[in-house]
């Protein structure tokens, strides 16, 4: 088995068992190539800014030793600008962002920022489920978003190691998702107004032209709905989405954050007539953006897969990589590429049925891909440097005190090294509500896992009762030494369709508790495992 991924600046891209770690770290700077990996603290993308960040120096040092020269950080809109009308900011989140950028700089590492990231579990978020819809048509929300972009730039402008920032199509795809799922004419008519689609349509076409494009007759603009997903006219939704990404979002944001780029949608979307695919839509209008020097994209081996097999060989995967990147380079009018999300493996439920590289093919793919990546790109960022459990628990290590928790008979306490815990007396309780939907449980999930790191503060073991959703509580026995305990609950008691589920912790004696996780899915990146051990490709 081969352990540890070593980027080696794309030339060559190999595994650390084949070439000493970090041996080409300087070459990346010389060639101007950015080799990054996303960092999510001790948590996941949904809660990283409220997790324990005391391990950042160790993580960044390991990244650098492995050949990475930059760190990727998501900057969620809802986590940093918690209030929208009027704008209100989480100053702790900004302070923590400064801390990580400064730390990376001290290690001579760059930073890449993903602005406007969609997912965050900050309980102070004023519009957690609707702001990414409202930004397209609500003037107050739109200007709040622009204010957020300006605020982030003001905060990081003094850091010379912030190499670039970008927005991603993924975070602003809401109009397409909504239009795809709208099932009634009334829903589609309402969505046409709420999404800003009808306003764009009126500024682009005459009503007579719309009649032709829809193959129907409308009495007035107010009767024009979003197109049915099963109609060729749905191409208009994609055209509107690309226009909004470029002109409503990117260009105004770039004026406030100089050097901004965008991760564009690479996939070509099918156009249907009924259930039959009768056309396709390319998002090439988002590839060559004003003021940018490269085109941002994403890549997984399943993209451009030349085979029909569920698992492909490294040779097939490299051929797909070359085909996709060369095609992207042409569609981007010759601009070089930067891969913001490079996933050479992915176990995400969204791509579970797509072709993938089996483990024994990954090292060969890594080696063979080096020359292709160097030819077409100026670098890449791995989506995750370390595997993570996708847990929605807010403030899981109590580094922000008891924020997000309801506690009795308990108080936060500091631990050596900058970590924290909740010190619970006998009879003490701690509870937190969370959204079961944020577990992102794959279809067929049967169990939900809880991890609790705990120690009895006296010399005798202490029992802790843990409850989840509607399931009967379970008991663990904490020893006087720190240990991570794992409990499993039936998914039927948690993933039951309700929007909120409670987590409860009851102490039978004096005990310290930290790093509480509830999860049904572990994202694999194949670099480091959840525990920090080298990944196996």
């Amino acid at each position: 088995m081969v352990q540890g991924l070593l980027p080696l600046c794309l030339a060559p891209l190999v595994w650390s068992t084949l070439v000493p770690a970090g041996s080409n770290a300087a070459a990346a700077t010389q060639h101007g190539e950015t080799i990054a990996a996303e960092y999510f603290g001790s948590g996941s993308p949904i809660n990283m800014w409220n997790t324990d960040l005391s391990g950042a120096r160790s993580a960044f040092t390991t990244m650098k030793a492995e050949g990475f020269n930059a760190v990727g950080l998501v900057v969620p809109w809802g986590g940093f600008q918690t209030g929208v009308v009027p704008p209100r900011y989480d100053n702790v989140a900004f302070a923590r962002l400064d801390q990580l950028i400064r730390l990376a700089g001290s290690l001579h590492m760059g930073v890449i920022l993903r602005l406007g990231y969609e997912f965050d579990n900050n309980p102070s978020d004023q519009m957690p489920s609707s702001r990414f819809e409202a930004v397209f048509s609500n003037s107050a929300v739109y200007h709040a978003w622009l204010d957020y972009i300006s605020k982030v730039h003001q905060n990081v402008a003094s850091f010379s190691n912030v190499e670039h920032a970008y927005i991603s199509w993924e975070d602003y795809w809401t109009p397409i998702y909504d239009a795809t799922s709208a099932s009634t004419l009334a829903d589609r008519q309402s969505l046409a107004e709420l999404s800003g689609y009808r306003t764009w349509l009126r500024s682009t076409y005459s009503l007579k032209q719309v009649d032709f494009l829809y193959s129907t007759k409308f009495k007035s603009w107010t009767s024009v709905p979003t197109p049915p997903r099963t109609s060729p006219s749905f191409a208009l939704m994609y055209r509107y989405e690309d226009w909004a990404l470029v002109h409503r979002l990117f260009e105004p944001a770039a004026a406030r954050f100089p050097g901004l780029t965008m991760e564009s949608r690479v996939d070509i979307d099918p156009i249907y007539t009924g259930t039959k695919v009768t056309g396709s839509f390319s998002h090439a209008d988002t590839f060559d953006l004003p003021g940018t020097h490269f085109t941002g994209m994403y890549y997984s081996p399943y993209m451009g897969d030349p085979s029909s097999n569920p698992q492909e060989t490294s040779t097939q995967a490299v051929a797909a990589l070359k085909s996709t990147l060369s095609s992207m380079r042409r569609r981007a009018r010759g601009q070089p590429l930067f891969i913001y999300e490079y996933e050479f493996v992915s176990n995400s439920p969204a791509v579970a049925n797509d072709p993938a590289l089996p483990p024994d093919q990954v090292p060969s793919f890594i080696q063979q891909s080096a020359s292709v990546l160097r030819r077409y790109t100026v670098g890449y960022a791995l989506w995750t440097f370390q595997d993570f459990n996708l847990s929605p628990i807010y403030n899981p290590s109590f580094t922000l005190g008891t924020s997000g928790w309801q506690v009795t008979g308990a108080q936060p306490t500091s631990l050596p090294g900058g970590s924290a815990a909740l010190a619970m007396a006998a009879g003490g309780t701690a509870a937190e509500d969370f959204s079961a939907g944020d577990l992102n449980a794959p279809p067929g999930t049967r169990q939900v896992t809880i991890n609790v790191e705990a120690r009895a503060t006296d010399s005798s073991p202490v029992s802790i009762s843990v409850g989840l959703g509607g399931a009967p509580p379970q008991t663990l026995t904490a020893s006087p030494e720190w240990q991570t305990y794992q409990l499993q609950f039936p998914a039927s008691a948690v993933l039951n369709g309700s929007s909120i589920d409670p987590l409860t912790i009851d102490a039978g004696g004096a005990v310290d508790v930290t790093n509480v996780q509830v999860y049904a899915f572990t994202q694999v990146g194949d670099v480091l495992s959840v525990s920090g051990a080298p990944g196996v490709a």
Side-chain angles (χ1 to χ4, degrees):
M1 294 189 297
V2 187
Q3 295 183 330
L5 173 68
L6 180 64
L8 287 184
C9 323
L10 311 174
L13 197 69
V14 294
W15 296 92
S16 57
T17 51
L18 304 178
V19 176
S23 62
N24 252 8
T29 303
Q30 293 172 359
H31 289 93
E33 295 156 345
T34 297
I35 313 300
E38 296 285 340
Y39 172 71
F40 300 125
S42 61
S44 70
I46 197 172
N47 68 350
M48 74 157 289
W49 294 105
N50 52 78
T51 66
D52 183 3
L53 301 181
S54 64
R57 177 172 290 277
S58 176
F60 290 6
T61 301
T62 302
M63 285 184 188
K64 186 171 183 180
E66 286 293 314
F68 295 91
N69 62 2
V71 177
L73 300 173
V74 297
V75 185
W77 180 14
F80 279 69
Q81 188 190 65
T82 52
V84 180
V85 184
R88 183 181 65 252
Y89 293 95
D90 187 324
N91 293 326
V92 173
F94 275 99
R96 300 188 115 200
L97 174 62
D98 290 356
Q99 171 192 347
L100 293 185
I101 296 173
R102 191 175 292 110
L103 173 59
S106 72
L107 297 172
H108 306 289
M109 298 181 73
V111 173
I112 298 173
L113 303 177
R114 177 168 172 172
L115 304 186
Y117 185 62
E118 182 177 4
F119 302 103
D120 188 83
N121 66 343
N122 193 319
S124 298
D125 187 346
Q126 183 185 16
M127 299 175 66
S129 60
S130 60
R131 64 169 67 196
F132 283 86
E133 295 173 330
V135 72
F136 286 91
S137 60
N138 184 305
S139 178
V141 174
Y142 175 65
H143 285 95
W145 181 79
L146 292 176
D147 192 73
Y148 151 81
I149 297 293
S150 297
K151 175 72 171 178
V152 177
H153 180 257
Q154 293 166 9
N155 215 72
V156 306
S158 62
F159 294 105
S160 60
N161 63 318
V162 176
E163 295 187 2
H164 49 93
Y166 69 103
I167 62 173
S168 172
W169 69 274
E170 287 185 282
D171 300 319
Y172 305 96
W173 205 242
T174 305
I176 301 297
Y177 291 137
D178 290 347
T180 300
S181 60
S183 57
T184 69
L185 178 60
D187 287 343
R188 290 167 42 223
Q189 287 175 332
S190 176
L191 180 61
E193 185 67 29
L194 293 175
S195 65
Y197 167 74
R198 188 182 291 146
T199 299
W200 168 81
L201 202 64
R202 293 187 67 167
S203 68
T204 310
Y205 302 97
S206 68
L207 189 59
K208 186 175 181 179
Q209 288 174 315
V210 172
D211 289 344
F212 174 79
L213 293 169
Y214 273 70
S215 298
T216 190
K217 179 73 173 177
F218 296 108
K219 294 181 179 180
S220 66
W221 280 106
T222 57
S223 62
V224 178
T226 57
R229 181 67 181 92
T230 55
S231 167
S233 58
F234 198 82
L236 290 168
M237 278 303 304
Y238 289 129
R239 196 169 299 162
Y240 164 62
E241 175 71 24
D242 287 357
W243 175 88
L245 283 171
V246 175
H247 300 292
R248 182 169 176 81
L249 298 178
F250 174 77
E251 290 179 344
R256 290 159 175 80
F257 201 116
L260 189 73
T261 61
M262 183 166 71
E263 179 188 47
S264 299
R265 180 164 173 80
V266 176
D267 294 82
I268 296 176
D269 285 295
I271 299 298
Y272 294 92
T273 300
T275 59
K276 184 179 180 181
V277 176
T278 56
S280 63
F281 190 93
S282 169
H283 301 278
D285 286 348
T286 68
F287 295 164
D288 185 10
L289 300 174
T292 62
H293 303 292
F294 56 83
T295 295
M297 59 174 291
Y298 49 92
Y299 188 81
S300 292
Y302 71 84
M303 291 173 57
D305 173 63
S307 73
S308 59
N309 298 320
Q311 292 191 331
E312 58 187 14
T313 66
S314 61
T315 300
Q316 290 171 325
V318 171
L321 174 68
K322 183 176 181 180
S323 175
T324 299
L325 295 187
S326 62
S327 174
M328 273 296 297
R329 188 75 175 262
R330 288 193 303 271
R331 291 192 288 162
R333 300 177 179 89
Q335 279 209 128
L337 309 172
F338 188 91
I339 306 177
Y340 280 114
E341 293 182 72
Y342 187 38
E343 298 182 71
F344 53 89
V345 299
S346 179
N347 66 328
S348 171
V351 297
N353 297 320
D354 291 327
L357 282 169
D360 64 351
Q361 295 295 302
V362 174
S364 178
F365 169 76
I366 297 279
Q367 291 176 306
Q368 294 179 59
S369 67
S371 60
V372 178
L373 291 168
R374 165 152 282 176
R375 178 178 178 181
Y376 293 105
T377 80
V378 292
Y380 65 86
L382 300 183
W383 175 236
T384 180
F385 181 68
Q386 186 168 353
D387 299 351
F388 57 82
N389 299 322
L390 189 60
S391 171
I393 297 302
Y394 180 80
N395 189 22
S397 299
F398 304 96
T399 53
L400 303 181
T402 58
S403 178
W405 292 84
Q406 304 86 48
V407 303
T408 60
Q411 59 183 3
T413 184
S414 298
L415 299 176
S419 299
L422 185 69
M424 306 182 70
T429 65
E432 181 172 320
D433 295 334
F434 66 94
S435 173
D438 287 338
L439 291 172
N440 197 32
T445 296
R446 295 185 177 181
Q447 294 180 319
V448 174
T449 302
I450 294 182
N451 288 350
V452 178
E453 194 172 347
R455 69 173 178 186
T457 54
D458 295 326
S459 57
S460 301
V462 170
S463 64
I464 302 175
S465 176
V466 179
L468 183 65
Q474 297 185 32
T475 300
L476 62 87
T477 302
S479 70
E481 301 295 327
W482 280 112
Q483 184 174 333
T484 298
Y485 300 90
Q486 190 172 92
L487 302 171
Q488 292 184 323
F489 289 77
S492 58
V494 183
L495 309 177
N496 54 11
S498 63
S499 59
I500 298 295
D501 281 287
L503 165 70
T504 59
I505 301 173
D506 297 276
V511 65
D512 289 341
V513 172
T514 191
N515 197 18
V516 181
Q517 297 181 333
V518 178
Y519 61 96
F521 173 71
T522 299
Q523 178 70 59
V524 172
D526 253 14
V527 182
L528 297 181
S529 69
V530 172
S531 65
V536 177

